[in-house]
Amino acid sequence: MAEIKADETVDVTHLVCPNTFVKAKVVLDELDEGQILAVRLNDGEPAQNVPRSLKEEGHQILSLDENGDGTYTLYVKKVGD
Amino acid sequence: MALTDEQIERYSRHILLKEVGSKGQKKLLEAKVVIIGAGGLGCPVGLYLAAAGVGTIGVADADVVDLSNLQRQVAHTTADLGKPKVESLKESIQAINPDVKVNTYQEFIDSSNIRQIIRDYDFVIDGTDNFAAKFLINDACVMEKKPFCHAGILRFNGQLMTYIPGQGPCYRCVFKEMPPKDAIPTCRQAGVIGAMAGVIGCLQAMEAVKFITGAGKLLVGELQTYDGLNNVFRKVKLPPCNGKCAVCGDNPTITELVDYEQPTCELKH
């Protein structure tokens, strides 16, 4: 898959659920429709919950890439205002 | 204005809501609400709006905390007896959320000062306990084009409605004029269950939050009633303003505020 270029990045590896999603959502709220956010998150609960919650809000999950250090990078495209 | 990490955590349960989000939370932080009456209704409204992060809260009340208030006025404590209610509520608000700016008005609200006070705010809460004040608040809000939420509680019953200028009937469209003296008993004469103030006050706080964030539907053109003894919530559809209302109609006869006489038993000195 071609490299995805993010418009904004946020690291939520220092947070626990639901604040991981809350922080990602706050940053995403500031973006324009169609822009892409890269979220760095921990394996386990965050990697499961954050993509699911963003999807429930109508955003488009592009990919969830393993970084090899126990963290993932989630690419999400903002849908709607 | 960007939310700080502390604000993101404090308001995370709001931000999680699709209907609020960080945009709605920012609106709350920038909003100004004035609560007239720091009693049974005003206390829960003040506490919940403070917790919600409403940036500026005005509190108007001339009274001091009395022992008989504590059965329902939950922002005041036994240690507050004799203290002005506006000070006591301000302390409770700031203990919950130090970010909230509180403006206090320790005075009787009447025709001489109400318009000036509400002018600075986005939304008005009627937390008063008498008809004179309720008609005064309604008429002042119509004249100043301010949205407000009316509520009243008595015994095991409560009611509320919201007025938005140009969108629905005002309190006077529905209730016309002051009831005859002694036709309706006051809380002081008839009693009121403490939790009723909490139920109805929280519904008023809900109206304010929905107005500020734009979430959901307001009680415009509808009167919500609650019968606590029988657990019945009802919504009564109100007729739209027919243009003949004395204050919000096409040719209003009330163009200046008037102070109605309050039954003497309601005034405590």
Side-chain angles (χ1 to χ4, degrees), chain A residues 9 45 57:
Chain A
T9 60
E45 245 193 323
E57 294 232 325

Side-chain angles (χ1 to χ4, degrees), chain B residues 100-131:
Chain B
V100 177
K101 179 174 181 240
V102 183
N103 300 323
T104 58
Y105 308 93
Q106 197 197 338
E107 49 199 301
F108 276 108
I109 298 305
D110 61 24
S111 62
S112 73
N113 56 17
I114 185 168
R115 291 183 69 167
Q116 194 69 34
I117 289 172
I118 66 174
R119 206 165 280 165
D120 289 337
Y121 294 89
D122 307 314
F123 195 85
V124 179
I125 297 285
D126 171 5
T128 64
D129 64 352
N130 64 84
F131 289 100

Side-chain angles (χ1 to χ4, degrees), chain A:
Chain A
M1 185 169 176
E3 185 103 341
I4 299 169
K5 195 183 168 301
D7 296 288
E8 182 69 82
T9 60
V10 62
D11 188 335
V12 298
T13 55
H14 61 296
L15 298 172
V16 294
C17 290
N19 293 342
T20 46
F21 167 60
V22 170
K23 179 71 186 175
K25 185 176 168 176
V26 168
V27 177
L28 200 60
D29 276 350
E30 299 299 320
L31 298 187
D32 296 325
E33 172 144 35
Q35 287 193 303
I36 293 168
L37 175 67
V39 189
R40 183 166 178 261
L41 34 77
N42 285 325
D43 196 3
E45 245 193 323
Q48 282 178 0
N49 292 343
V50 175
R52 188 178 57 204
S53 299
L54 288 168
K55 203 174 161 190
E56 274 170 14
E57 294 232 325
H59 302 295
Q60 190 187 342
I61 305 301
L62 301 177
S63 75
L64 183 62
D65 301 343
E66 212 173 336
N67 295 326
D69 60 353
T71 69
Y72 284 81
T73 301
L74 168 75
Y75 291 92
V76 55
K77 189 177 188 177
K78 179 164 176 173
V79 177
D81 186 30

